[in-house]
Amino acid sequence: MQPRVPNIALRLLLAEAGWTGEALVRKVNQLGAEAGLSLRYQRASVTQWLSGVKPRPPVPELVAEGLSRALGRRVTVGDTGLGRTGETDLSAWWGDSVARLIDPERRALLVGAAYSVAALVVPAWTTVGSARLGAPSQTADDIRVGRPEAASAAAMIRVFSDSDAALGGGYARRALAGYLSTTIAPWLRADTNPGLRRELLTTAARLSYLCGFMCFDDELHGSAQHYYLTSLRLAAEGGDAYGYAIALRALSVQAHHLGHHPQSLDLAEASVRTASTRTPPHSSAFLLGQLAVAHAAVGNRRDAATTLNAADRHLARSVDSTAAVGAYHPASLAHHYAAVAVCFGDRATATRALASSLRCRPHRERRSRAVTLAQLAELQFAEGRLEQACSTWQDFLDDYPLLCSRRADRAMASLRAHARAHRRNPVARALLERASTLTVAAKGPRVP
């Protein structure tokens, strides 16, 4: 056994950041929560790391990400001295877009991957859009891919999209990850004509986007970012500008959700710039709605209002808003009006907009309806309308047992906390009793 070598690199990075060991483990635990992990590291762990102990993944990635955010520059796992011999820095794994589809669970990515702010710096479409269609990186001689395979892959977009919308991301994200790994990746490696390969790349980009959103819904943010970035690369390789735009939008939504508002705005602006003038009206509205929210989050009130109005005008001209990826309809627009109002502290407007969104929401979108109901109940509670909030939460409970979504689970936890605080109120007590019954009866153990 080789003697441990003190980790001078990590010590110097901590000094540069002005961090104590306690500050580092707080950040690691926080980033672990972003990745869907419950970590409980303490100061003693840092003492071990500084002495030369190499923690298991994803801790090195979390340390690197935390220091990157603190220092305002990219810090790799190698820079921290925590990488094991022969180990590569996963955040720098960009080479082969098809390789990114190979079951990332074997790369410790599907569960517990670190979300990286540094990875949000991506090239503009004007830089990547002129690149030639990539040839198969590794030809699979025993696989033949033709029109039937391409059609079957395209049909799976609707299958997985409908499952996600109705039941949440938790049920199908593993199935979709496996499909991308065992079916789509080998097809993309097969020798086929350029037109068919471009079609397969576009389909793969949409499926990767969906897998990212399923991970986002299940609050696995590192994994979600991995699939969104994969979607971005596949769209670039396939020459699909709109696919590139919606992947940028997805990264913007996630960055906004996690509180990285300047980055969210940059990505949303890039997504709108990427879309061509031939983009269908509902697709333009889809991109503009997120840009409005991103403007609002950084306080750009006038830009947010102007962009929302533009989204409204585009949607009014739309004749089809039911796309499997990028669907946008009046319920979506109303939800964006609510999100902008929340950014400016206008709860009354946000409440009205969420109520409008619920009235317009297609019945098949159960998960979105449940999340919106929870958001509306939170606003009603904040306005002191306890019994109205309880009524809204009762509607949420109608949908909740059918969902496998950590966003819905988080809403349920909030519901129970509010109801417990007001259990002397008979309406709140009835809500708490029903919620407790559903939690015990309907929810089995979660698959990570």
Side-chain angles (χ1 to χ4, degrees), residues 293 308 331-347 349-355 357 372 375 379:
V293 174
L308 264 183
S332 312
L333 179 64
H335 198 274
H336 278 148
Y337 270 102
V340 168
V342 166
C343 288
F344 294 118
D346 186 353
R347 286 200 298 258
T349 297
T351 298
R352 290 193 297 271
L354 288 177
S357 179
T372 303
Q375 292 169 339
L379 287 173

Side-chain angles (χ1 to χ4, degrees), residues 102-191:
I102 304 301
D103 190 355
E105 190 167 7
R106 290 196 294 270
R107 305 175 193 270
L109 275 172
L110 191 56
V111 177
Y115 178 85
S116 171
V117 173
L120 298 179
V121 180
V122 298
W125 176 253
T126 52
T127 301
V128 302
S130 59
R132 288 186 177 181
L133 177 68
S137 55
Q138 177 183 330
T139 301
D141 294 331
D142 58 338
I143 296 178
R144 294 291 178 266
V145 178
R147 181 59 51 194
E149 287 77 15
S152 72
M156 293 303 290
I157 298 175
R158 174 62 69 182
V159 171
F160 283 111
S161 176
D162 287 349
S163 171
D164 173 67
L167 302 172
Y171 283 120
R173 61 178 174 80
R174 284 179 174 274
L176 179 48
Y179 180 68
L180 286 166
S181 172
T182 62
T183 300
I184 297 299
W187 286 355
L188 288 173
R189 293 200 187 283
D191 189 13

Side-chain angles (χ1 to χ4, degrees), residues 14 41 62 70 72 94 108 152 172 214 238 240 266 279 299 352 354 358 426:
L14 289 175
Y41 282 101
L62 298 174
W94 273 89
S152 72
M214 289 178 178
D240 177 14
D266 289 343
T279 300
R352 290 193 297 271
L354 288 177
L358 287 166

Side-chain angles (χ1 to χ4, degrees), residues 54-395:
K54 310 280 191 183
R56 289 183 295 180
V59 172
E61 287 80 7
L62 298 174
V63 170
E65 173 62 15
L67 288 166
S68 295
R69 296 188 191 184
L71 297 174
R73 61 178 174 82
R74 184 167 178 241
V75 176
T76 69
V77 170
D79 294 335
T80 68
L82 296 177
R84 298 173 186 270
T85 302
E87 200 170 53
T88 59
D89 183 2
L90 291 177
S91 65
W93 180 45
W94 273 89
D96 181 354
S97 58
V98 178
R100 294 176 64 89
L101 294 176
I102 304 301
D103 190 355
E105 190 167 7
R106 290 196 294 270
R107 305 175 193 270
L109 275 172
L110 191 56
V111 177
Y115 178 85
S116 171
V117 173
L120 298 179
V121 180
V122 298
W125 176 253
T126 52
T127 301
V128 302
S130 59
R132 288 186 177 181
L133 177 68
S137 55
Q138 177 183 330
T139 301
D141 294 331
D142 58 338
I143 296 178
R144 294 291 178 266
V145 178
R147 181 59 51 194
E149 287 77 15
S152 72
M156 293 303 290
I157 298 175
R158 174 62 69 182
V159 171
F160 283 111
S161 176
D162 287 349
S163 171
D164 173 67
L167 302 172
Y171 283 120
R173 61 178 174 80
R174 284 179 174 274
L176 179 48
Y179 180 68
L180 286 166
S181 172
T182 62
T183 300
I184 297 299
W187 286 355
L188 288 173
R189 293 200 187 283
D191 189 13
T192 188
N193 69 72
L196 192 60
R197 176 166 168 74
R198 190 181 298 276
E199 185 178 329
L200 282 170
L201 284 165
T202 296
T203 296
R206 299 296 195 276
L207 288 167
S208 187
Y209 171 101
L210 281 173
C211 197
F213 188 75
M214 289 178 178
C215 292
F216 173 89
D217 187 50
D218 234 14
E219 297 191 338
L220 297 170
H221 287 291
S223 302
Q225 185 184 45
H226 167 85
Y227 280 109
Y228 287 154
L229 290 170
T230 302
S231 179
L232 198 73
R233 286 184 58 82
L234 291 166
E237 190 174 345
D240 177 14
Y242 180 62
Y244 202 82
I246 63 173
L248 288 169
R249 180 193 183 277
L251 289 165
S252 172
V253 171
Q254 184 182 29
H256 173 82
H257 179 77
L258 295 175
H260 307 300
H261 296 142
Q263 292 87 349
S264 175
L265 179 57
D266 289 343
L267 290 160
E269 288 179 328
S271 75
V272 172
R273 286 196 302 270
T274 299
S276 75
T277 55
R278 296 187 302 275
T279 300
H282 83 271
S283 300
S284 295
F286 177 67
L287 301 177
L288 288 166
Q290 171 55 25
L291 177 57
V293 174
H295 273 305
V298 298
N300 297 343
R301 186 183 292 270
R302 179 177 296 178
D303 289 335
T306 299
T307 309
L308 264 183
N309 288 336
D312 204 338
R313 290 194 302 273
H314 279 284
L315 187 59
R317 296 191 291 109
S318 175
V319 295
D320 178 21
S321 59
T322 61
V325 172
Y328 200 79
H329 41 59
S332 312
L333 179 64
H335 198 274
H336 278 148
Y337 270 102
V340 168
V342 166
C343 288
F344 294 118
D346 186 353
R347 286 200 298 258
T349 297
T351 298
R352 290 193 297 271
L354 288 177
S356 175
S357 179
L358 287 166
R359 287 193 297 271
C360 301
R361 179 71 60 184
H363 186 264
R364 64 182 179 276
E365 297 182 6
R366 181 183 294 111
R367 190 266 321 286
S368 293
R369 181 172 62 246
V371 170
T372 303
L373 282 165
Q375 292 169 339
L376 177 57
E378 291 280 357
L379 287 173
Q380 290 168 336
F381 182 85
E383 292 182 318
R385 293 147 55 186
L386 174 61
E387 294 191 2
Q388 190 172 5
C390 288
S391 175
T392 302
W393 265 317
Q394 288 283 6
D395 292 338

